[in-house]
């Protein structure tokens, strides 16, 4: 069995498709109160629970979600902090930068042209929520540093939820696959 | 004086081949004990461990790799000392390695049985396709295979059902996915035809298994058992009266004074040991473990042929973005195949090959790629949808030739029971390398047909989890391990069954052929004990 691996050097500039009809629209507007909250809390504090709550709020901003599950936030935060001793400082820097721009959405913040290290922190946060794990799974090795955050709640499934199953969770009847998804004309 | 035995027949290994043989023997009224190195694990636990692991593309991930029953997940256990690293994955639990298989249940075609006389390469089998046809039929109806009549699987006999078959498939093929139909239409004008893959992922309910509903997780584990695995026949064998002993790793096959096999010796993880005798023995411990155990036991190997002629399927892969949305991931993980180079004159010069179309939900691959490119914000969701809908991947499988230098042997390391590890020696030959460029030419056409944009198209040969030749059958006791009935040339009551019997590799997945041979061997044994 094999699945061809995707190479990073693949293509660089695929056009961003318009958000398709039928896709659950996300509310990208995060209240400034929440952004302010994320920005005002000092990362690097001693209490893990407080750190996780801050991380959850910042994660919601970065992923463009109005809220994220608190238990998953705690799990992801604990794992990321363990992987990177400097993680709290990076979160603090990102929060401060967001607050400084006054951006109310992640897209607005990205439009301000954040520094590469801030984008890297955003990518780390986004990866944990979208892929549903932290670290890097490497099945070519006996073990690796990857840890599960969530399978079913991973955000990467949402954009295609109407079209493809989360593997092991079929929502359709036999042979549904003979037809394209209803959205095909606009995909 | 009549000798007392623990059973008529002892079967070593509860994989699909051993369990099918045991079931056949029990149906014919024989008392059977199955010894299985692994334990039984219920399907729901395997699904849970899949969902709880971040190693989602690791097909061994949900399964145990125990210190006393190592699998291919252990790098110390499977060791390579050749120029090409030959890892083919296998599992140890009740039901065996088909727990994580792709369910592809092809028959070999007649020319696969006479490679030497037709193409001047490799070896001929001691039996013909016609000899095996009735047993293919039996194996297909045991396992449940969904396929289409009227399709040419050789690539050179358009319009004919090839290989020929006496009757229908047990079930009709599943419907093609929209992606596969779209692809078939695009490559048709270039002269390529897509053939339905005969599949053990059922198109409707069959012998208590439900029809496939497209969970898209056939490997590493189907949540509903629509995809067949050997555990179904382990259970059928038990229902038919076989006794299954789990956590029982056979470490010695013992010869009697008459040259027959007298008993087997086994160990369990708690240190306990056992010894059982029978009139006949079926060694069905998988293409690596069976030959290893024979060499360890100094059984059936005075010609030094055991473990040699190791033949994998090697091959290439391609992935690309199609111009239009095709939506992979709807339905089972693979469906169609293309046989542009399976049979015909080129086979005298280089490997034949099968191309197969993957149908995985692409989100994780795509998301990883987009994050690596730095895509963030709302663009990320839009791009995940856009790219996942367009992602396509195919892989090819090349046949390989039997070379005695390519082999499996016991290694010098030991597991928790004190048994040796598996040592593999493999080198790729020019016959196989000769298939690389024709394969790349086909891949290039496939991408072009879809107005695609290539992501990767490597010339590095990858390995495909199939193991042929290691307990090779033949008609000459000097250069083979078993005869045409899978009987050891040296020990008349020892039968060795599995994909290791196959004297040619063909380009298709080998397990159905091994099951057919296993049931046929069981039928022979039933007449003798
Ligand atoms: C990811 C993947 C996908 C695959 N897809 C396909 C496919 O689509 N089509 C196809 O035809 N093939 C496929 N295969 C190959 C297929 O899985 C094997 O050919 C098949 O499982 C062989 O069956 P078997 O009964 O000979 O061995 P196994 O299924 O490996 O069973 C052997 C059993 O013997 C037990 N055992 C081993 N040693 C001992 C011992 N010393 N004492 C007691 N018990 C022992 C093991 O625990 C095991 O349960 C795939 C393989 C992999 C890894
Ligand atoms: S698609 Fe789903 S239901 Fe069908 S065989 Fe695969 S995992 Fe099982």
């Amino acid at each position: 069995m094999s699945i061809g691996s995707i190479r990073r050097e693949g293509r660089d500039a695929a056009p961003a498709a318009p958000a398709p009809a039928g896709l659950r629209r996300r509310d990208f507007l995060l209240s400034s109160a929440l952004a302010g909250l994320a920005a005002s809390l000092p990362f690097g504090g001693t209490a893990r629970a407080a750190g996780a709550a801050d991380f959850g709020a910042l994660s919601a901003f970065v992923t463009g979600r109005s809220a994220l599950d608190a238990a998953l936030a705690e799990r992801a935060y604990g794992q990321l902090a363990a992987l990177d001793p400097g993680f709290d400082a990076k979160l603090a820097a990102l929060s401060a930068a967001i607050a400084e721009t006054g951006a109310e959405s992640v897209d607005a913040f990205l439009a301000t042209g954040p520094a590469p290290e801030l984008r890297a922190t955003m990518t780390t946060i986004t990866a944990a929520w979208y892929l549903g794990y932290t670290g890097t799974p490497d099945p070519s090795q006996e073990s690796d540093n990857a840890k599960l955050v969530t399978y079913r709640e991973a955000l990467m499934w949402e954009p295609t939820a109407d079209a493809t199953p989360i593997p092991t969770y079929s929502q359709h009847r036999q042979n549904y696959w003979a037809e394209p998804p209803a959205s095909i004309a606009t995909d | 004086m009549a000798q007392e035995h623990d059973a008529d027949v002892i079967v070593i290994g509860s994989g699909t081949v051993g369990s099918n043989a045991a079931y056949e023997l029990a149906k014919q009224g024989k008392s059977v004990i199955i010894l299985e190195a692994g334990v039984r694990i219920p399907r729901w636990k395997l699904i849970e461990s899949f969902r709880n692991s971040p190693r989602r593309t690791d097909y061994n991930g949900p399964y145990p790799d125990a210190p006393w029953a190592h699998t291919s997940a252990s790098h110390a256990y499977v060791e390579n000392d050749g120029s090409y690293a030959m890892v083919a994955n296998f599992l140890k639990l009740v039901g065996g390695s088909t727990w994580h298989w792709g369910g592809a249940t092809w028959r070999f075609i007649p020319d696969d049985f006479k490679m030497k006389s037709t193409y001047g390469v490799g070896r001929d089998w001691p039996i013909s396709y016609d000899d095996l046809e009735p047993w293919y039929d039996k194996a297909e109806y045991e396992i449940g295979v969904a396929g289409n009549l009227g399709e040419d699987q050789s690539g050179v006999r358009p319009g004919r059902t090839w290989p020929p078959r006496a009757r229908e498939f047990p079930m009709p093929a599943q419907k093609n996915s929209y992606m596969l139909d779209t692809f078939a239409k695009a490559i048709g004008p270039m002269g390529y035809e897509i053939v339905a893959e005969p599949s053990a992922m059922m198109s409707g309910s069959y012998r208590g298994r439900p029809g496939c509903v497209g969970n898209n997780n056939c490997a590493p584990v189907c949540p509903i058992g629509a995809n067949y695995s050997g555990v179904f026949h382990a259970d059928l064998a038990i229902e038919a009266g076989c006794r299954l002993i789990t956590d029982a790793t056979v470490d010695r096959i013992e010869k009697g004074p008459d040259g027959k096999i007298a008993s087997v010796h086994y160990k369990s993880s708690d240190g306990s040991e056992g010894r059982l005798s029978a009139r006949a023995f079926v060694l069905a411990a998988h293409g690596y473990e069976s030959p290893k155990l024979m060499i360890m036991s100094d059984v059936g190997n005075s010609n030094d042929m055991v473990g040699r002629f190791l033949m994998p399927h090697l091959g290439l892969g391609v992935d690309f973005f199609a111009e239009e949305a095709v939506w992979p991931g709807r339905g089972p993980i693979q469906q169609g195949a293309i046989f542009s180079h399976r049979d015909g004159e080129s086979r005298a010069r280089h490997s034949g090959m099968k191309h197969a179309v993957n149908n995985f939900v692409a989100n994780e691959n795509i998301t990883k790629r987009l994050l690596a490119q730095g895509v963030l914000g709302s663009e990320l969701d839009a791009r995940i949808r856009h790219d996942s809908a367009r992602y396509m991947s195919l892989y090819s499988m090349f046949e390989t030739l039997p070379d005695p230098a390519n082999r499996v042997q016991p290694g010098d390391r030991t597991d928790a029971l004190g048994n040796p590890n598996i040592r593999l020696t493999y080198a790729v030959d020019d016959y196989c390398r000769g298939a690389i460029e024709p394969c790349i030419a086909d891949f290039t056409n496939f991408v072009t047909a879809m107005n695609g944009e290539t992501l990767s198209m490597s010339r590095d040969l990858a390995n495909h989890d199939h193991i042929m030749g290691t307990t090779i059958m033949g008609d000459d006791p000097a250069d083979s391990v078993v005869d045409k009935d899978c009987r050891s040339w040296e020990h008349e009551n020892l039968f060795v069954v599995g994909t290791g019997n196959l004297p040619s590799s063909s380009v298709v997945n080998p397990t159905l052929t091994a099951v057919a041979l296993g049931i046929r061997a069981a039928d022979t044994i039933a007449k003798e004990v």
Side-chain angles (χ1 to χ4, degrees):
Chain A
M1 299 289 309
S2 42
I3 174 163
S5 59
I6 296 193
R7 296 283 162 91
R8 286 180 182 196
E9 66 270 23
R11 77 180 190 180
D12 281 310
L23 170 62
R24 190 143 53 115
R25 297 299 306 235
R26 285 283 150 198
D27 180 5
F28 292 120
L29 294 173
L30 192 78
S31 76
S32 41
L34 187 49
L37 172 82
S40 69
L41 285 167
F43 282 97
T46 45
R48 166 62 53 91
D54 299 348
F55 171 78
L58 184 58
S59 293
F61 179 87
V62 168
T63 59
R65 267 56 178 183
S66 52
L68 292 168
D69 185 285
L72 296 184
E74 186 159 354
R75 193 183 292 173
Y77 173 71
Q79 293 171 8
L80 290 170
L83 276 175
D84 177 3
F87 190 59
D88 280 345
K90 291 176 183 170
L91 293 177
L94 178 59
S95 294
I98 293 169
E100 202 172 303
T101 61
E104 296 197 347
S105 72
V106 62
D107 286 352
F109 179 63
L110 287 168
T112 67
E117 55 277 14
L118 296 176
R119 288 190 69 109
T121 306
M122 292 173 76
T123 299
T124 302
I125 296 170
T126 307
W129 289 100
Y130 270 71
L131 299 170
Y133 53 73
T134 60
T136 310
D138 182 1
S140 76
Q141 299 303 312
E142 282 185 6
S143 61
D144 53 47
N145 67 356
K147 289 205 161 55
L148 184 85
V149 176
T150 172
Y151 179 61
R152 195 172 179 164
E153 310 302 323
L155 299 181
M156 66 178 171
W157 307 122
E158 289 185 359
T160 61
D162 60 311
T164 47
I166 300 172
T168 74
Y169 294 100
S170 179
Q171 324 127 32
H172 301 289
R173 270 183 294 168
Q174 186 160 41
N175 285 331
Y176 75 84
W177 51 84
E179 303 296 328
S183 58
I184 190 74
T186 52
D187 284 334
Chain B
M1 204 181 76
Q3 215 192 320
E4 291 293 321
H5 290 288
D6 294 300
D8 291 332
V9 186
I10 288 174
V11 176
I12 305 168
S14 73
T16 182
V17 180
S19 290
N20 266 286
Y23 180 51
E24 181 64 29
L25 285 160
K27 279 194 297 181
Q28 297 203 28
K30 308 302 169 190
S31 66
V32 181
I33 297 173
I34 307 173
L35 294 171
E36 166 55 49
V39 296
R40 183 184 278 278
I41 305 180
R43 188 175 296 273
W44 68 265
K45 279 197 181 173
L46 296 168
I47 296 293
E48 285 302 294
S49 46
F50 168 77
R51 290 174 179 160
N52 285 323
S53 166
R55 291 160 67 95
R56 295 169 196 142
T57 53
D58 177 0
Y59 286 169
N60 279 49
Y63 299 92
D65 168 43
W68 41 272
H70 273 303
T71 67
S72 52
S74 164
H75 292 205
Y77 188 68
V78 182
E79 170 194 8
N80 271 278
D81 69 359
S83 55
Y84 181 84
M86 240 310 290
V87 174
N89 289 306
F90 60 90
L91 303 175
K92 285 190 181 148
L93 74 166
V94 174
S97 307
T98 46
W99 266 105
H100 66 176
W101 76 334
T105 30
W106 301 92
R107 295 180 176 198
F108 279 28
I109 55 176
D111 284 342
D112 293 338
F113 291 74
K114 25 180 206 176
M115 289 297 288
K116 187 76 188 171
S117 46
T118 312
Y119 297 113
V121 295
R123 293 163 66 130
D124 284 359
W125 289 49
I127 55 173
S128 69
Y129 176 81
D130 290 343
D131 294 328
L132 201 56
E133 204 283 336
W135 302 98
Y136 268 134
D137 180 274
K138 222 168 149 58
E140 286 175 342
Y141 277 77
E142 282 299 331
I143 285 177
V145 174
N148 280 341
L149 268 189
E151 290 189 329
D152 168 33
Q153 298 176 359
S154 73
V156 292
R157 294 169 185 84
R160 293 174 68 185
T161 297
W162 202 265
R165 28 187 317 125
R167 58 170 167 158
E168 285 276 0
F169 285 90
M171 297 287 282
Q174 292 183 358
K175 287 199 171 158
N176 283 352
S177 70
Y178 170 76
M179 176 186 77
L180 194 63
D181 275 342
T182 308
F183 184 53
K185 275 182 215 140
I187 61 174
M190 293 175 159
Y192 294 104
E193 199 178 336
I194 291 192
V195 171
E197 175 160 273
S199 174
M201 302 163 195
M202 276 296 92
S203 57
S205 60
Y206 190 82
R207 296 187 85 177
R209 272 152 60 206
C212 166
V213 292
N215 284 294
N216 202 251
N217 208 66
C218 328
V221 53
C222 171
I224 61 172
N227 190 8
Y228 171 85
S229 80
V231 76
F232 287 97
H233 275 91
D235 285 337
L236 284 168
I238 292 165
E239 270 171 45
C242 297
R243 187 174 150 219
L244 170 69
I245 306 178
T246 58
D247 185 6
T249 297
V250 175
D251 59 359
R252 198 161 6 110
I253 300 174
E254 292 169 326
K255 291 176 269 199
D258 54 0
K260 288 189 182 181
I261 301 304
S263 61
V264 292
H265 183 271
Y266 65 91
K267 280 197 195 123
S268 300
S269 57
D270 64 3
S272 61
E273 303 186 17
R275 182 183 192 180
L276 293 166
S277 67
R279 288 175 221 284
F281 297 82
V282 177
L283 176 54
H286 171 272
Y288 288 155
E289 296 287 358
S290 289
K292 186 189 94 178
L293 183 56
M294 289 179 77
I295 296 171
M296 281 161 62
S297 307
D298 190 22
V299 154
N301 191 31
S302 53
N303 61 6
D304 190 24
M305 289 294 119
V306 174
R308 296 187 179 274
F309 307 105
L310 169 60
M311 287 178 277
H313 286 136
L314 302 178
L316 306 178
V318 60
D319 61 359
F320 59 95
F321 284 132
E323 184 179 32
E324 305 286 342
V326 290
W327 284 109
R330 294 165 65 85
I333 59 169
Q334 62 188 43
Q335 279 193 321
I338 301 159
F339 291 114
S340 45
H341 295 93
R342 178 171 188 183
D343 210 8
E345 146 308 300
S346 63
R347 230 177 156 185
R349 288 176 282 112
H350 64 70
S351 303
M353 68 190 84
K354 173 186 92 167
H355 305 304
V357 188
N358 284 319
N359 186 36
F360 293 97
V361 170
N363 296 45
E364 182 168 339
N365 261 338
I366 294 297
T367 305
K368 271 165 47 184
R369 178 171 180 275
L370 292 171
L371 289 172
Q373 291 176 355
V375 177
L376 289 167
S378 59
E379 191 196 351
L380 182 59
D381 280 352
R383 285 281 304 275
I384 289 174
R385 186 174 176 92
H386 178 272
D387 291 2
S388 296
R390 283 162 179 76
Y391 180 73
M392 286 192 68
S393 72
L394 287 96
Y395 68 93
S396 61
M397 273 172 22
F398 299 173
E399 65 192 325
T400 59
L401 295 177
D403 176 343
N406 292 328
R407 65 192 300 196
V408 49
Q409 311 172 71
D412 297 329
R413 303 171 188 153
T414 48
D415 68 10
L417 299 179
N419 290 326
N421 69 315
I422 289 170
R423 179 180 296 159
L424 305 169
T425 311
Y426 193 81
V428 178
D429 64 11
D430 286 339
Y431 181 77
C432 190
R433 280 194 208 95
I436 292 176
E437 291 312 320
C439 178
I440 292 283
D442 281 349
F443 283 175
T444 306
N445 286 339
F446 300 155
V447 178
T448 305
M450 299 303 287
N451 286 329
E453 189 174 343
T454 302
L455 296 166
S456 70
M457 196 191 295
S458 166
R459 284 175 166 76
D460 294 338
L461 290 167
N463 200 318
H464 280 284
D465 294 326
H466 306 145
I467 306 144
M468 285 72 66
T470 52
T471 52
I472 199 161
M473 63 160 43
D475 50 21
D476 182 350
D479 70 358
S480 56
V481 175
V482 296
D483 71 6
K484 64 178 177 35
D485 299 319
C486 303
R487 188 197 307 266
S488 158
W489 285 113
E490 279 175 65
H491 312 284
E492 66 171 70
N493 66 339
L494 174 64
F495 292 75
V496 188
V497 293
T499 55
N501 293 147
L502 280 46
S504 65
S505 71
S506 182
V507 303
V508 293
N509 317 53
T511 310
L512 181 76
T513 303
V515 172
L517 289 170
I519 299 175
R520 184 169 167 273
D523 188 62
T524 304
I525 298 166
K527 295 191 180 94
E528 297 181 2
V529 299

